[in-house]
């Protein structure tokens, strides 16, 4: 359930530069944001899985689910790990404020 406070933050976020990344904040599974933050902070799916004490496949599935709901890719997969895309940077800023 989205609270009024969360909805207000979503409205402010959607009116800013990341409008293309967030279509409808009521559709976001806020638990997916935890997985997103773990990958963003850890730099890899493996690090995120370890931090969250889940299988790496769970992390990948949750990130894919968030990307589908937002309509944007959050990460680029590199040999050195995962790097945030421009949309991912915008979502990171929003997620850290939550």
């Amino acid at each position: 359930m989205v609270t009024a406070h969360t909805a207000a933050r979503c409205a402010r976020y959607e009116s800013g530069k990341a409008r293309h990344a967030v279509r409808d904040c009521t559709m976001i599974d806020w638990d997916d944001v935890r997985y997103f933050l773990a990958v963003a902070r850890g730099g890899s799916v493996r690090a995120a899985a370890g931090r969250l004490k889940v299988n790496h496949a769970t992390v990948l599935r949750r990130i894919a689910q968030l990307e589908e709901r937002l309509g944007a890719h959050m990460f680029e997969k590199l040999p050195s790990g995962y790097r945030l895309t421009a949309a991912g940077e915008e979502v990171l800023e929003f997620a850290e404020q939550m």
Side-chain angles (χ1 to χ4, degrees), residues 12-58:
R12 280 197 306 274
Y13 182 67
E14 287 180 303
S15 66
K17 64 181 181 174
R19 194 172 319 152
H20 68 280
V22 178
R23 292 183 183 154
D24 183 359
C25 284
T26 61
M27 298 286 296
I28 295 174
D29 182 335
W30 298 108
D31 202 37
D32 290 346
V33 176
R34 281 189 327 116
Y35 288 82
F36 167 80
L37 283 171
V39 175
R41 291 174 177 160
S44 73
V45 171
R46 174 183 265 179
R51 183 177 187 169
L52 296 169
K53 296 181 175 48
V54 298
N55 187 290
H56 78 281
T58 300

Side-chain angles (χ1 to χ4, degrees), residues 29 31-32 35 57-67:
D29 182 335
D31 202 37
D32 290 346
Y35 288 82
T58 300
V59 175
L60 289 170
R61 184 178 67 250
R62 299 302 289 260
I63 295 299
Q65 184 174 301
L66 180 64
E67 289 177 333

